[in-house]
DNA sequence: TCTGGGGTCCTAGGACCC
DNA sequence: TCTGGGGTCCTAGGACCC
């Protein structure tokens, strides 16, 4: 019996770094990290070679966005502060992020997938879910063993992505999104993994709990404190025990997830819920002593949110701000207006009213402006 | 040497209304 | 003289994800 659905999760391999390697092929095989500001552009030298910045000597508050596999071997990973990474891998090449370029490649790989399989859920710049159920050949598992039909379809998708972008990806094909997301990681990079529920005990249950989409740092730590380490450990607990420790909603979800149960449909369309802009300052700023600079940044963030709304054809009725203090404590304030707006001055004014409700004794390290309750213009 | 920027969803309390 | 129960909106915070 084939599964009722065949859902694929496609994840581009080290996406930002791989796009950069297309541009700078001389970096192939080297440890490279992407992140930080604009100050470390490669410099073309008179002899035609390029000179790259390295992590050694980096000073600032940036983090790694993506690291090549060679860099990961040195112990650095995305989310790590560049200052910390510099201690582990001073020789690693540092490149600035270029979202324009990544978005262009993102559109290209998604179009290449759509040529083969049109039912796609967007999950950000470098990953998607794909419904393969209705595709010709997907149910054709008799001719081959190990679900040869869907495997061939998924391989065709991989080939098309490679042809269109020069980039590799990894795909997991399973009966649902939760398992597909796990499966796409099992043979990364450039991998293809097909699993059914029969494979749960051998392929899924040995995995650490944190691999599951929905178990983050907090839940992971709580589960660990209760003596649970793997998804198999989770699958051994009964539902009442999980509900007792994690509440009705999350407890039940954990119970189902450990058994590979996930009925969520693909979401192939939808309007955004919010749009925001935020920035971390190079040095902490004080509301009174650095008033002029803060005001300038605040107004600029409001202007950027307005521009984003207008460009995409939305207006927001709820305007909010986000502040992060020097002790990393974060607060938000928001204000719902009588009418939606996409006007920079109106957003700036509403954000200003929000700011008045915050105690500004401590220095600030981050300021953000957000629009929510969006309506299409 | 602390920890980016852009999102989504959930929870929970209070206001307000019927 | 002690007190309902639902529903929705608004706000704040937090977990989690890419």
């Amino acid at each position: 019996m084939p599964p009722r659905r065949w859902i694929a999760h496609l994840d581009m391999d080290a996406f930002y770094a791989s796009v950069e390697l297309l541009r700078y092929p001389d970096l192939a095989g080297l440890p490279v990290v992407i992140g930080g500001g604009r100050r470390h552009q490669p410099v073309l030298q008179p002899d035609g070679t390029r000179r790259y910045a390295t992590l050694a000597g980096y000073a600032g508050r940036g983090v790694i966005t993506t690291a090549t596999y060679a860099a990961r071997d040195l112990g650095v990973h995305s989310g790590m502060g560049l200052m910390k990474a510099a201690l582990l891998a001073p020789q690693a090449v540092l490149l600035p992020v270029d979202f324009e370029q990544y978005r262009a490649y993102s559109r290209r790989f998604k179009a290449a997938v759509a040529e083969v399989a049109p039912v796609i859920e967007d999950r950000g710049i470098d990953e998607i879910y794909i419904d393969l159920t209705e595709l010709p050949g997907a149910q054709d598992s008799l001719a081959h063993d190990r679900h040869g039909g869907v495997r061939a379809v998924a391989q065709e998708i991989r080939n098309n992505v490679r042809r269109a972008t020069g980039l590799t990806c990894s795909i997991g094909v399973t009966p649902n999104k939760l398992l597909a997301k796990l499966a796409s990681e099992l043979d990364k990079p450039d991998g293809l993994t097909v699993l059914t529920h029969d494979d749960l005990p051998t392929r899924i249950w040995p995995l650490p709990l944190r691999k599951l989409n929905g178990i983050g740092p907090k839940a992971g730590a709580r589960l660990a404190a209760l003596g649970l380490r793997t998804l198999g450990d989770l699958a051994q607990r009964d539902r009442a025990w999980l509900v007792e420790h994690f509440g009705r909603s999350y407890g039940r979800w954990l119970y189902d997830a450990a058994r590979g149960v996930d009925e969520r449909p693909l979401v192939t369309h939808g309007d955004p819920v919010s749009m925001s802009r935020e920035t971390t300052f190079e040095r902490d700023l004080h509301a009174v002593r650095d008033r002029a600079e803060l005001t300038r940044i605040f107004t600029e963030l409001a202007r950027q949110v307005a521009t984003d709304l207008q460009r995409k054809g939305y207006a927001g009725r709820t305007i909010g701000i986000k502040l992060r203090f020097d002790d990393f404590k974060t607060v938000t304030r928001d204000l719902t207006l009588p009418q939606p707006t996409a006007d920079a001055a109106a957003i700036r004014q509403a954000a200003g009213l929000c700011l008045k409700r915050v105690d500004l004794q401590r220095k600030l390290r981050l300021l953000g402006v957000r629009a929510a309750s969006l309506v299409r213009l």
Side-chain angles (χ1 to χ4, degrees):
Chain A
M1 266 294 261
R4 194 165 46 75
R5 297 191 296 166
W6 278 122
I7 305 299
H9 179 258
L10 182 155
D11 197 289
M12 298 299 289
D13 298 323
F15 185 52
Y16 298 177
S18 303
V19 171
E20 296 296 348
L21 287 181
L22 293 176
R23 183 160 35 179
Y24 307 123
D26 47 319
L27 294 177
L30 296 180
V32 179
V33 304
I34 317 297
R38 223 111 303 159
R39 283 189 303 281
H40 38 271
Q41 289 287 349
V43 177
L44 192 59
Q45 297 180 295
D47 66 356
T49 62
R50 287 190 202 86
R51 185 176 165 74
Y52 299 98
T54 60
L55 276 179
Y58 174 87
R61 292 177 154 176
V63 300
I64 295 178
T65 308
T66 314
T68 59
Y69 292 96
R72 294 178 201 192
D73 289 343
L74 299 172
V76 306
H77 55 80
S78 55
M80 180 183 280
L82 289 169
M83 297 284 255
K84 181 175 177 181
L87 297 179
L88 292 167
Q91 77 277 34
V93 168
L94 173 62
L95 294 174
V97 289
D98 180 358
F99 280 107
E100 283 297 307
Q101 186 81 339
Y102 311 147
R103 272 194 289 268
Y105 274 91
S106 181
R107 284 191 291 273
R108 235 185 272 180
F109 98 73
K110 287 169 188 172
V113 174
E115 287 176 1
V116 181
V119 182
I120 293 173
E121 175 177 332
D122 225 302
R123 290 305 302 186
I125 200 162
D126 70 339
E127 61 182 82
I128 51 175
Y129 291 102
I130 317 161
D131 194 335
L132 308 181
T133 312
E134 300 299 328
L135 291 179
Q139 297 296 341
D140 174 20
S141 56
L142 295 179
H144 320 270
D145 50 346
R146 294 301 304 157
H147 310 292
V150 271
R151 181 176 290 276
V153 170
Q155 186 55 48
E156 191 188 344
I157 290 171
R158 277 157 42 76
N159 294 343
N160 222 33
V161 168
R162 181 87 193 243
R163 185 188 54 70
T165 64
L167 299 171
T168 64
C169 62
S170 298
I171 298 188
V173 186
T174 79
N176 60 50
K177 294 205 285 190
L178 194 74
L179 291 175
K181 171 83 178 164
L182 286 170
S184 67
E185 261 203 71
L186 289 179
D187 194 22
K188 214 170 198 344
D190 203 12
L192 170 54
T193 302
V194 182
L195 297 182
T196 67
H197 279 98
D198 294 343
D199 302 303
L200 233 57
T202 56
R203 307 297 303 278
I204 299 299
W205 286 350
L207 298 173
L209 288 164
R210 284 295 312 277
K211 293 284 180 192
L212 197 68
N213 206 255
I215 300 183
K218 300 288 180 179
R222 286 183 61 197
L223 286 158
L226 291 163
L228 279 66
R229 197 179 59 80
T230 66
L231 289 168
D233 295 340
L234 192 59
Q236 283 189 338
R237 299 295 166 145
D238 55 49
R239 203 164 85 146
W241 187 88
L242 289 168
V243 167
E244 185 186 319
H245 284 88
F246 294 93
R248 206 173 136 96
S249 169
Y250 195 59
R252 287 181 178 191
W253 178 82
L254 285 171
Y255 180 83
D256 286 341
R259 284 163 181 71
V261 172
D262 173 28
E263 293 296 322
R264 289 172 302 164
L266 264 67
V267 179
T268 54
H269 59 277
D271 287 312
V273 171
S274 67
M275 293 185 197
S276 66
R277 289 290 189 128
E278 64 185 52
T279 187
T280 296
F281 316 133
E282 289 186 16
R283 62 179 182 93
D284 295 340
L285 299 178
H286 190 271
V288 176
R289 294 192 288 281
D290 303 299
R291 185 179 169 129
E293 189 169 4
L294 275 171
T295 300
R296 184 182 60 73
I297 293 167
F298 198 30
T299 302
E300 173 61 14
L301 289 168
R303 195 192 61 76
Q304 288 175 336
V305 170
T307 306
D308 293 344
L309 287 167
Q310 290 162 23
R311 188 161 41 83
K312 293 175 181 156
Y314 290 89
R317 202 161 73 83
T318 302
I319 303 302
I321 60 167
K322 171 171 159 182
L323 287 79
R324 181 168 288 148
F325 295 99
D326 56 3
D327 60 357
F328 219 70
K329 189 169 132 46
T330 304
V331 302
T332 61
R333 293 291 181 271
D334 57 43
L335 177 62
T336 299
L337 305 170
Q339 299 291 333
T341 184
D343 177 71
I347 292 169
R348 174 64 178 81
Q349 202 214 349
L353 292 174
C354 292
L355 191 61
K356 286 189 177 168
R357 309 207 305 257
V358 185
D359 179 357
L360 295 171
Q361 302 279 353
R362 298 198 74 101
K363 283 185 163 186
L364 292 165
R365 63 174 289 138
L366 172 147
L367 185 57
V369 174
R370 186 174 103 104
S373 312
L374 302 185
V375 296
R376 220 195 268 268
L377 285 179

